[in-house]
């Protein structure tokens, strides 16, 4: 069985549609955020086709651990070895445990679907499946170009844009099953991961000063 780190869910099966690969119409803005001049980024518009979108209450019920935390930093991004989609490992500082037991952790490390990798990294995954590289259109780039072009994944259903300005988040997390070794599936990039998201990008919810959680799907504070 294979699964995607960025879309792990106890509630539903998540399938990504990454067939719409197009050059960003706003490349300069993306490049300026990285303080990199002339960087070209290709955007994958993914959609998480979930059989059922969980509410905040349902994510809470099915989570092993729920914490209030602040985003610290993105540690690294790698190409998912099954989809090629960029997956980022992020660190959060735990402020409060709402459900479960965080044990000795003062901070927590989790993966989410998003970030950017070089076209070279992305292609190295696509070539494992006959026809996928040609279908993506990325075979047209030379080896040198592929090292300097980037692919960025954006989940259109539940995009994750983390803020390191003290913004509080409520994280709905599940423990890694004892029978599963993440490093066997994804390699050393995930060796320090503590938990997985309950329901993909929906599981990282903003928290306001009134203690309300923002639901991306319903576009409201709950």
């Amino acid at each position: 069985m294979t699964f995607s780190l960025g879309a792990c869910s106890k509630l539903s099966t998540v399938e990504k549609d990454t067939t719409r690969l197009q050059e960003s119409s706003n490349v300069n803005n993306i490049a300026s955020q990285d303080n990199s001049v002339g960087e070209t980024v290709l955007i994958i518009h993914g959609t998480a086709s979930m059989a059922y979108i969980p509410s905040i209450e349902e994510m809470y019920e099915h989570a092993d651990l729920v914490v209030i935390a602040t985003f610290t930093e993105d540690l690294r991004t790698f190409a998912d070895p099954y989809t090629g989609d960029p997956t980022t490992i992020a660190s959060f500082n735990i402020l409060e445990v709402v459900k479960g037991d965080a044990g000795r952790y003062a901070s927590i490390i989790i993966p989410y679907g998003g970030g950017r990798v070089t076209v070279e990294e992305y292609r190295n995954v696509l070539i494992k499946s006959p026809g996928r590289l040609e279908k993506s259109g990325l075979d047209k780039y030379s080896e040198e170009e592929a090292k300097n072009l980037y692919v960025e994944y954006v989940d259109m259903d539940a995009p994750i844009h983390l803020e390191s300005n003290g913004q509080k988040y409520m994280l709905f997390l599940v423990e890694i099953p004892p029978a599963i070794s993440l490093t066997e599936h994804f390699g050393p990039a995930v060796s320090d991961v503590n938990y997985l998201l309950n329901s993909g990008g929906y599981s990282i919810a903003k928290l306001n000063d009134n203690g309300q959680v923002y639901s991306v799907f319903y576009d409201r504070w709950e």
Side-chain angles (χ1 to χ4, degrees):
M1 180 181 72
T2 61
F3 53 91
S4 171
L5 280 175
C8 180
S9 174
K10 276 189 171 183
L11 301 177
S12 56
T13 300
V14 179
E15 295 178 354
K16 296 178 186 174
D17 174 11
T18 58
T19 58
R20 289 172 46 197
L21 181 64
Q22 63 183 38
E23 192 158 327
S24 170
S25 60
N26 200 16
V27 169
N28 289 333
N29 285 343
I30 295 174
S32 65
Q33 291 173 7
D34 282 353
N35 298 317
S36 171
V37 178
E39 182 177 278
T40 300
V41 180
L42 306 173
I43 305 297
I44 304 172
H45 294 285
T47 56
S49 303
M50 302 181 74
Y52 180 76
I53 305 299
S55 65
I56 298 296
E57 291 79 9
E58 288 167 319
M59 286 195 295
Y60 179 89
E61 178 185 351
H62 290 272
D64 296 316
L65 179 67
V66 180
V67 299
I68 296 173
T70 53
F71 169 63
T72 307
E73 61 178 330
D74 286 331
L75 301 176
R76 59 194 164 277
T77 302
F78 66 98
D80 185 301
Y82 298 102
T83 66
D85 295 342
T87 298
T88 297
I89 307 298
S91 174
F92 289 81
N93 180 43
I94 297 176
L95 302 179
E96 180 182 343
V97 176
V98 180
K99 177 185 177 182
D101 182 4
R104 58 186 175 81
Y105 298 120
S107 61
I108 200 162
I109 296 174
I110 59 174
Y112 68 89
R116 66 179 61 168
V117 297
T118 64
V119 167
E120 179 182 48
E121 292 175 84
Y122 189 76
R123 290 199 312 195
N124 286 341
V125 176
L126 295 190
I127 59 177
K128 298 175 186 177
S129 301
R132 284 192 66 199
L133 178 58
E134 293 76 10
K135 186 177 180 180
S136 74
L138 294 179
D139 56 329
K140 67 182 180 181
Y141 298 106
S142 68
E143 290 185 9
E144 187 60 34
E145 288 175 319
K147 293 178 181 178
N148 296 291
L149 283 172
Y150 294 84
V151 170
E152 182 170 329
Y153 175 76
V154 178
D155 188 331
M156 301 302 287
D157 287 344
I160 298 175
H161 302 293
L162 298 172
E163 302 172 23
S164 56
N165 57 2
Q167 169 66 54
K168 294 180 181 179
Y169 295 91
M170 184 169 285
L171 308 179
F172 301 87
L173 308 168
V174 291
E175 294 179 353
I176 301 169
I180 294 179
S181 169
L182 290 185
T183 54
E184 287 182 11
H185 288 267
F186 301 101
V190 297
S191 60
D192 53 356
V193 167
N194 309 130
Y195 286 84
L196 301 178
L197 293 175
N198 178 301
S199 301
Y202 298 103
S203 306
I204 302 180
K206 282 187 176 182
L207 191 70
N208 66 17
D209 292 337
N210 296 322
Q212 295 173 302
V213 179
Y214 181 70
S215 171
V216 174
F217 181 72
Y218 293 105
D219 189 24
R220 69 188 184 201
W221 294 95
E222 299 183 347

